Amino acid sequence: MKVTVFGIGYVGLVQAAVLAEAGHKVCCVDVNPKRVADLQAGIIPIFEPGLSSLVQQGVAQGLLEFTTDAATGVHFGELQFIAVGTPPDEDGSADLKYVLKVAASIAQHMTSPKVVINKSTVPVGTGDKVKAVIAQTLAQRQAEIDFAVVSNPEFLKEGAAVADCQRPDRIILGTDNPWAEQQLRELYAPFNRNHDKIIVMDVRSAELTKYAANCMLATKISFMNEMANLAELLGADIEQVRHGIGSDPRIGYHFIYPGCGYGGSCFPKDVQALIRTAEQTGYNTSLLKSVEAVNNAQKHKLFAKLAQHFAGDLAGKTIAIWGLSFKPNTDDMREAPSRALMEALWAAGARVQAFDPEAMEETQRIYGIRADLQLVGTKEAALHQADVLVICTEWKTFRSPDFDLLKQSLRQPVIVDGRNLFDPAKMQQLGFAYYAIGRGDSVYKY
């Protein structure tokens, strides 16, 4: 099939590359000339495992192309994906201007029937707005052309997005149009062979499904972080608790890892957006507001532990940080806990020496050159003459460090572990002061 994807950011590029791998012909449209030129040259703007080779393969096979020309994209495909950003507005609600602009552009250039597919994460009711914009633009052109608007939310995990797209758990189609449903069933047939993963529902339910899924996962994380905070006060070990409750199949082991808060482009934005959507209906989402409040507070836990260790005096201290991205296998720094930590440390007069396998360039882009930030090339270099080590992201390379070298490099044998990577008893045996999340009285002093 011939498919057009508007917006070649994270979601659009992954979806386009995977559709091309399945044999579909895909034209990607973006307003950023540099991004388009880079992709044509094989330069991928984001780090996502497996994506670079997939894009290069699609281009080499002639199945994947990139352009800045909207008219070319509209004429190319019968299926028109909208995968542009919906950044939070000043009040936290999703800003739909880019989505609606693409909808108007499609209507302006279309000369044959189109299925317009909302892949962007959008509030309930956006499908109606997209439909109205297209209808209005066609009326202004005095053009009578059939079209359908479908909600097809994405459920990609950063760091595993390619695999999620190639082997989806479910494919949500929000439509009441038989023609559009059939077109999308044909499009997704290569991903739907083992059993029927397609779930068809109305547009508004599909739009809410995306928000409900992300808000449910965010709720699980904030719940575990609240239990971790309670465990510290009660002298319990949240890791033991996690095993205890995870064995219940009604709860499961997924998304019940305590830590220093969630970040990224989805959970913070989507929780805020659903809160604002609810407020517009007059409903108070007290649970979601608590989820957001717990997460915001959790991002300051690591600084609080450092301040406690140094009796409130962090001025002149050098803090080594392992991990800057909000999660492993991505270079995404949006809403990352490391940002809250570094900014608090700088405000307290401390210096930061940091290493991340992928997010160094993004960190430099955000914060620029500053005397109290040193980005180094290895995790070992980050330790040199630092007072303590803080772990913000659970990259695999941090899981089995050389503890002897770590102890020799640090001025004090202190680890503040925001991801509970190590066994507190082992840390005690090795002579470390080990501050973790929710490990109760198992915090050992050297």
Side-chain angles (χ1 to χ4, degrees):
M1 302 181 76
K2 298 186 76 174
V3 182
T4 298
V5 178
F6 280 88
I8 46 178
Y10 188 84
V11 172
L13 185 58
V14 172
Q15 183 67 76
V18 170
L19 287 173
E21 182 194 32
H24 299 300
K25 295 182 178 180
V26 186
C27 176
C28 298
V29 184
D30 200 277
V31 296
N32 186 331
K34 183 180 185 306
R35 176 172 292 181
V36 168
D38 283 348
L39 284 163
Q40 288 171 336
I43 302 170
I44 310 301
I46 57 174
F47 173 76
E48 179 64 35
L51 181 58
S52 180
S53 59
L54 212 57
V55 170
Q56 291 167 1
Q57 171 186 306
V59 171
Q61 293 176 345
L63 296 173
L64 189 58
E65 60 185 72
F66 304 95
T67 182
T68 57
D69 184 56
T72 297
V74 174
H75 294 147
F76 183 89
E78 186 174 18
L79 303 181
Q80 302 273 314
F81 277 90
I82 301 177
V84 295
T86 52
D89 218 333
E90 291 181 3
D91 65 350
S93 60
D95 187 346
L96 296 178
K97 64 184 176 186
Y98 303 113
V99 170
L100 298 179
K101 186 176 181 180
V102 170
S105 185
I106 292 171
Q108 186 63 45
H109 297 293
M110 62 189 283
T111 55
S112 60
K114 304 290 182 184
V115 179
V116 179
I117 305 141
N118 265 331
K119 201 73 179 176
S120 302
T121 299
V122 293
V124 176
T126 301
D128 295 334
K129 294 179 180 179
V130 168
K131 189 174 182 180
V133 166
I134 295 174
Q136 181 182 11
T137 306
L138 288 174
Q140 290 170 350
R141 291 177 53 200
Q142 298 183 326
E144 293 186 9
I145 307 171
D146 287 338
F147 71 94
V149 176
V150 177
S151 175
N152 177 218
E154 53 84 16
F155 299 96
L156 307 181
K157 300 186 295 291
E158 289 195 45
V162 170
D164 287 345
C165 203
Q166 291 169 327
R167 294 177 291 279
D169 297 317
R170 72 285 207 199
I171 302 169
I172 303 289
L173 303 181
T175 182
D176 57 4
N177 185 305
W179 165 62
E181 179 185 334
Q182 184 55 41
Q183 291 290 94
L184 284 163
R185 283 188 177 276
E186 184 178 343
L187 179 76
Y188 285 125
F191 311 95
N192 198 38
R193 295 191 182 282
N194 291 337
H195 63 276
D196 191 4
K197 301 174 183 177
I198 292 177
I199 303 171
V200 182
M201 58 184 71
D202 63 275
V203 174
R204 285 178 171 248
S205 295
E207 291 169 339
L208 183 55
T209 296
K210 168 62 177 178
Y211 279 104
N214 276 355
C215 288
M216 181 64 191
L217 296 173
T219 299
K220 292 182 74 171
I221 294 171
S222 279
F223 174 81
M224 284 305 292
N225 283 335
E226 188 140 277
M227 291 301 102
N229 296 338
L230 187 58
E232 288 186 7
L233 297 173
L234 295 176
D237 186 343
I238 194 62
E239 290 298 317
Q240 302 294 333
V241 175
R242 180 176 65 81
H243 284 287
I245 67 173
S247 60
D248 186 331
R250 296 171 299 175
I251 298 172
Y253 289 103
H254 295 295
F255 278 84
I256 60 169
Y257 287 88
C260 49
Y262 61 73
S265 62
C266 294
F267 289 3
K269 177 173 71 73
D270 292 353
V271 170
Q272 285 184 17
L274 192 53
I275 290 172
R276 300 299 172 261
T277 296
E279 287 175 346
Q280 291 167 10
T281 70
Y283 184 78
N284 178 31
T285 52
S286 54
L287 178 59
L288 291 184
K289 289 177 180 177
S290 296
V291 168
E292 185 179 41
V294 168
N295 190 62
N296 289 338
Q298 199 69 15
K299 290 183 180 180
H300 298 282
K301 289 284 290 184
L302 299 181
F303 178 78
K305 290 176 183 293
L306 285 169
Q308 180 183 8
H309 178 81
F310 288 109
D313 183 13
L314 282 157
K317 299 294 189 296
T318 298
I319 310 301
I321 296 180
W322 281 0
L324 297 166
S325 57
F326 86 95
K327 64 180 288 189
N329 296 322
T330 181
D331 59 356
D332 197 339
M333 290 278 291
R334 286 174 286 186
E335 303 286 342
S338 64
R339 295 179 65 169
L341 173 61
M342 288 191 292
E343 289 163 17
L345 287 171
W346 293 328
R351 292 181 64 258
V352 170
Q353 288 180 180
F355 169 76
D356 186 283
E358 293 295 338
M360 309 275 271
E361 186 175 331
E362 180 66 4
T363 305
Q364 196 82 77
R365 184 191 69 79
I366 294 168
Y367 293 111
I369 305 296
R370 48 188 300 160
D372 50 10
L373 172 62
Q374 184 178 6
L375 299 173
V376 296
T378 65
K379 63 181 186 286
E380 291 81 11
L383 305 172
H384 182 65
Q385 292 300 300
D387 289 282
V388 300
L389 167 65
V390 182
I391 301 173
C392 285
T393 315
E394 63 275 31
W395 287 91
K396 285 184 178 179
T397 187
F398 302 150
R399 292 181 181 273
S400 300
D402 183 336
F403 287 109
D404 289 336
L405 176 63
L406 200 156
K407 200 170 182 180
Q408 292 166 12
S409 301
L410 293 173
R411 288 176 178 154
Q412 300 180 31
V414 178
I415 300 174
V416 180
D417 185 356
R419 300 299 177 181
N420 289 356
L421 297 187
F422 308 132
D423 175 26
K426 180 180 180 181
M427 293 299 99
Q428 182 188 34
Q429 293 171 2
L430 293 173
F432 285 92
Y434 182 65
Y435 300 89
I437 303 293
R439 306 307 294 266
D441 58 4
S442 60
V443 176
Y444 296 113
K445 299 285 187 176
Y446 59 91

